[in-house]
Every structure is written in C-alpha cells, then in structure tokens.
Amino acid sequence: MGAGHGHRLHYHGHSPLHRAPAHLKLLGLLGFMLVVVATPDHWFAAFGAYLLVLLGVVALSQVPPTYLLKRMVVEVPFVVFALVLPFVAYGEQVEVLGLSLSRPGLLAAFGILATATLGVLASLTLAATTEPQALLAGLERLRVPSLLVQIMSFMVRYLDVVTGEMQRMRVARESRGFSARDPRQWPVIARSTGALFIRSYERGERVHLAMLSRGYTGTMPEHGGHR
Amino acid sequence: MSAGREPPVLDVRGLAYAYPDGHQALYGVDLQVHRGERVALLGPNGAGKTTLVLHLNGIHTAGAGSVSVSGLPVGKEHLQEVRRRVGIVFQDPDDQLFMGSVRADVAFGPHNLGLRGAALEARVMAALEQVGMAAYADRPPHHLSFGQRRRVAVATVLAMEPEVLVLDEPSSNLDPASRRELADVLRALDVTVLMVTHDLPYALELCPRSVVLHDGQVVADGATYDVLTDDALMRAHRLELPFGFDPRTVGAPPAASRGGHGSGSGVDSVTT
C-alpha cells in the first residue's frame, strides 16, 4: 500500500497490535480513556504512568512515532484553549516568569492537555493499527446497534468520494480565478459547501435506489463474514 | 434465440408516467424483449430512458399501462422477485458499490435473496469471474480503476442471476481499452441485455436490435444497423453518429461468443 492508497490514518504493519482483534482494541481504548478522564487533575504521577503505558503500546505497534506525531495536529484547538485558560480563569494568582496566572486555570489547563494528548495518541494508535473495515466488524461484535454501524460504514466508504468531489469543486473555483484569502469571498465557499451537501444527499438517494434494486430490505450482511 | 411460446422477459405495454411534480416523462411505451436478446435503448437526453428503466424493477410504479417480467406483473406484491429477475447496473459505480470490499459488495444482492455460507461465496466468485475481477475480491471498491469498478458493478447484479441485465450508459467515462473489455464481458454473458446508451458504435457492436425513445414514446424499433443508417429518423430524434463513424463501412460486428459459461474467448484477455 503506497501513499494515497488506503486510509490516511492506517499504517500497514504486522505487529501484535495489528493482529489483535479489533473489538479488544476498542474495549482497551474505551477502558483506558475512562480511567484517564476519571483521574483528578493533580495526580501528575498517574498521568506520567499513563503516558509511559501508551508509549509502550506505540512501541509495540511498530508505528513510527513521527507518523503519529504528524497526525496529532488535530489536537491544536485543545492546546490553544488550554494555553488561554490560565490567563482568563479566576482564583488564586501565581507569578510565573513575571506573568500573573490563575492557579486553578493552570491545573485545568494541565488536565485538558494531558487528557487530550493521551486521548488523541491512543485513538491514533488504534486507527493506525486497525483497518476501518476491521474496526466496523469489531463494533458489530460489540453489539453496537447495526444501524449505527451501517451509517459509519457508509461514512468510511464515501469519505473519499465526497472529499474528491470537494477537491474538484475547489479546483474548478480556483481555475476561474477565485481565491479564498479575502473574507468577503467566504460566502462563495459557503455556497459551494451547500452544493456539496446537496450533491451528497442526492448521491445518498442514488445509493439507496441501487440498494433497493438489489433487494435491500433494511438489514445489511455482517462485516464479520468476510475476513 | 426466438421466444417460442414463453412470455417475453420484458413486457411493457402502454406505459405512461408523470413525476409527482406533474412533469410527464412517458406517454404510452410499448416494448417487448425476448430471452437471449441484446437490445439497445437509444434516445436523446430527457427522452425518458432512465424513467423507463426505473419502472422495470418497480422503483417507479406505472401511472397507466403495465410492466411484467417473464409473465410476472411488476407490483408491490412481487417486488423482491422482480428485483431479482431485473438487474440494473447504474451509471455511476460509486452509487452501486457501497460496501467495504468487492466481495461484500457482490454478496449484498444474493445475501438479500437469502443466500448464506458456501452457496453465497460460490455465487460471488462466479459473478466476479464472469467479469474477470476475481483477483480483486478483497480490495475496497474505491481503490479500483473506474473501468474495474464498472465491471464489479456488473458483477454485483450478475450475482443475483437476473433474467435480464439492464445497463445504464455502460460505456460512459470509460477509456477505450476499458470500454472494449466491458464489451468482451457483455458479449460472453449468457443473459438478456437491455442497454441504455448514447454510444451508438457500442450499440452497433453489441446489440443486434435497437429501440429509440423520444419524448416518452417509442419512435423506432428495429435492427441497429437499419436504425443507425436511417438518416431521416436519426435527424428527427437528435441522434448523431460520432465524427468519422459510418455503420455502412464498419462491416459486421464481432461474432457473438455466447453459451460457454464464462469461458468465452473474449473474457480471457480481461483477466490480466
């Protein structure tokens, strides 16, 4: 599987973590995150221990750390929020490098940063070691309502199609001299987004038609059947 | 190939239909297709071809007139059986291939018919072999080339063992090699085919008979060669041959190699 082939989050490999059943990995992630979220913010050592465990798992998965690091940019909004918090929160003030910061704000910022980082890293590790299809099959084995799994499987299937459509619309816009630098141009983007939404909706109808034509009555074959 | 006494595979009589918004698309269409025939359905954009196709498996219900498939009237009570008998291959393979792998996609139809286990697997592989895509069974459909996806879309319908295969614009967006490969596949199939197309050379190559639909009515029905060489008819119904193509100089289409299940000489070149 070369670049641009396969899902951008999945890293092809044969580690024990890649081979582990998807439903166990899902349960593991869920359990880990529940524990992390339930830990009080000031138990610094506990967070350190979680990070060590997680890094151990990453090492086991043989996914290059840079591969995961690059994908951790999704965390940026949380980081920004966490950085702002000590400045805007109330409560006891402390001096750090000549700045007056709120102590509860600092603690809350640490809490957000720690849980977000652990959460993102753990989810990325799961995504890197598990094919989307296996993930869906795992959810099915965990008895997640089949309608939800169906919706997710369609999302996985059509993500590329819709992104492709979005790219083509962007290229078509820019080919006619449009650039989105100026905020006054943003309404155009909003309208394209609306058009994309309608196109996707219509595609949904066509897919449904194709399903009916093949005798669809509301139940999908299980994903687990083909592995 | 002739029908004998058995009812036509497709029997459309006096079919009229208006969309809910009041736009009338079909004004009394009559069409009979017999077992083993390959028929091209020609006509300009907006002639009502797709509307007609959606009546054949009961997606639309006739406003007036009737549709029956091998003697079975298309209606609410037989919907499942009608949809097994009439396999529609839609124009955009991305609409038709919605599962995670080629195998799961081809299995979708037969699974809905109640097939399970080894029988289902055998049906899936047989269909994939007919279109030369057996080697791709475990690939996600969206990683295939467009031509491969179109062939898999044909397989998803073949897996239901339909009595008639209805193709909506089968050659659209295909490169010439994929177009020819699909023609090889279709020629080798032992199934009745109704093919909606604007690709007139393709119609001449594959379908001995053509039906022209214009403004919701059948305006011509005859040998494809005769239809394409009838200049007055062609002009009257917005049909045009591509530049440089003249049926009179093309000669006979490649011989049909049918009957040998999936082992037609044409298909072998497909499995590269």
Side-chain angles (χ1 to χ4, degrees):
Chain A
M1 295 233 167
H5 212 67
H7 279 267
R8 282 160 293 268
L9 291 175
H10 186 254
Y11 181 83
H12 188 68
H14 301 281
S15 73
L17 210 60
H18 279 87
R19 286 195 304 267
H23 58 284
L24 291 186
K25 286 188 273 188
L26 274 166
L27 283 180
L29 175 67
L30 186 69
F32 178 75
M33 282 323 293
L34 284 178
V35 171
V36 168
V37 173
T39 309
D41 285 348
H42 59 274
W43 290 13
F44 302 122
F47 286 105
Y50 299 152
L51 187 62
L52 280 182
V53 170
L54 195 51
L55 290 180
V57 172
V58 172
L60 187 68
S61 74
Q62 293 163 9
V63 178
T66 48
Y67 185 89
L68 294 174
L69 272 177
K70 265 186 270 173
R71 283 156 181 80
M72 284 190 72
V73 287
V74 289
E75 202 194 334
V76 166
F78 292 94
V79 175
V80 170
F81 182 66
L83 288 181
V84 169
L85 210 54
F87 294 95
V88 297
Y90 296 113
E92 189 191 336
Q93 301 288 307
V94 288
E95 289 279 321
V96 180
L97 301 172
L99 293 169
S100 168
L101 301 178
S102 149
R103 182 183 290 279
L106 274 175
L107 197 60
F110 170 76
I112 291 175
L113 268 185
T115 41
T117 308
L118 290 171
V120 169
L121 191 58
S123 312
L124 283 175
T125 311
L126 174 74
T129 58
T130 320
E131 296 262 15
Q133 289 311 315
L135 214 52
L136 292 170
L139 285 173
E140 218 154 50
R141 249 171 282 140
L142 292 175
R143 301 258 179 281
V144 173
S146 85
L147 200 60
L148 285 181
V149 180
Q150 277 184 40
I151 291 172
M152 281 188 253
S153 76
F154 279 101
M155 193 188 77
V156 169
R157 165 64 181 91
Y158 285 99
L159 199 61
D160 284 350
V161 174
V162 174
T163 347
E165 214 151 355
M166 199 168 76
Q167 297 288 2
R168 286 197 299 276
M169 285 165 81
R170 187 180 58 79
V171 169
R173 274 200 311 265
E174 288 175 6
S175 305
R176 285 187 282 159
F178 175 82
S179 98
R181 298 257 161 67
D182 188 341
R184 274 173 301 179
Q185 308 275 32
W186 287 357
V188 176
I189 302 201
R191 273 194 289 277
S192 314
T193 313
L196 184 68
F197 179 79
I198 291 172
R199 279 196 203 183
S200 306
Y201 180 82
E202 285 174 349
R203 182 180 295 279
E205 287 193 324
R206 291 199 303 275
V207 171
H208 186 235
L209 216 62
M211 291 171 73
L212 287 181
S213 299
R214 281 195 274 153
Y216 176 69
T217 51
T219 49
M220 298 287 273
E222 321 77 56
H223 286 88
H226 305 286
R227 290 205 19 126
Chain B
M1 265 204 212
S2 76
R5 288 292 99 199
E6 63 180 312
V9 177
L10 287 177
D11 193 1
V12 180
R13 285 177 195 277
L15 179 66
Y17 179 77
Y19 278 95
D21 66 0
H23 168 73
Q24 182 147 7
L26 300 178
Y27 295 84
V29 171
D30 288 292
L31 174 66
Q32 277 78 42
V33 177
H34 293 279
R35 183 169 308 284
E37 273 192 300
R38 275 202 304 265
V39 180
L41 184 59
L42 312 176
N45 286 329
K49 303 186 296 291
T50 304
T51 310
L52 174 59
V53 163
L54 292 179
H55 277 90
L56 301 179
N57 74 344
I59 297 277
H60 289 336
T61 18
S66 70
V67 181
S68 47
V69 181
S70 298
L72 190 71
V74 174
K76 288 267 178 285
E77 58 278 23
H78 312 295
L79 223 45
Q80 204 68 358
E81 174 59 14
V82 163
R83 286 176 184 170
R84 185 198 68 74
R85 292 186 185 187
V86 181
I88 301 186
V89 181
F90 290 92
Q91 194 173 347
D92 186 347
D94 275 329
D95 294 342
Q96 189 135 12
L97 307 176
F98 41 77
M99 303 285 282
S101 73
V102 166
R103 183 195 304 275
D105 238 314
V106 178
F108 179 81
H111 184 276
N112 286 329
L113 301 178
L115 256 71
R116 298 290 184 275
L120 179 62
E121 179 67 17
R123 188 75 81 86
V124 168
M125 291 320 288
L128 282 174
E129 249 144 48
Q130 279 178 292
V131 299
M133 288 296 292
Y136 297 84
D138 293 310
R139 298 273 288 275
H142 47 286
H143 291 169
L144 302 177
S145 78
F146 194 87
Q148 291 172 329
R149 272 183 279 165
R150 176 71 47 80
R151 298 215 303 270
V152 173
V154 172
T156 64
V157 169
L158 286 180
M160 301 178 74
E161 298 190 343
E163 293 184 12
V164 53
L165 189 63
V166 181
L167 300 145
D168 192 359
E169 294 286 354
S171 61
S172 65
N173 291 329
L174 293 183
D175 60 38
S178 305
R179 179 176 172 278
R180 196 251 320 138
E181 284 166 356
L182 185 68
D184 291 342
V185 165
L186 294 177
R187 211 177 290 116
L189 293 179
D190 188 19
V191 62
T192 312
V193 170
L194 180 69
M195 185 170 110
V196 175
T197 189
H198 293 297
D199 185 343
L200 301 180
Y202 215 49
L204 182 66
E205 183 184 346
L206 287 171
C207 303
R209 176 182 160 205
S210 283
V211 173
V212 179
L213 197 67
H214 192 197
D215 288 338
Q217 283 177 306
V218 173
V219 291
D221 183 347
T224 304
Y225 180 88
D226 296 342
V227 170
L228 298 191
T229 49
D230 185 338
D231 294 335
L233 176 83
M234 294 280 284
R235 223 177 353 257
H237 302 296
R238 280 186 69 81
L239 293 176
E240 280 178 24
L241 294 165
F243 175 76
F245 180 82
D246 185 352
R248 297 170 192 89
T249 61
V250 169
S257 61
R258 35 185 19 190
H261 277 275
S263 59
S265 55
V267 189
D268 294 344
S269 63
V270 173
T271 38
T272 43

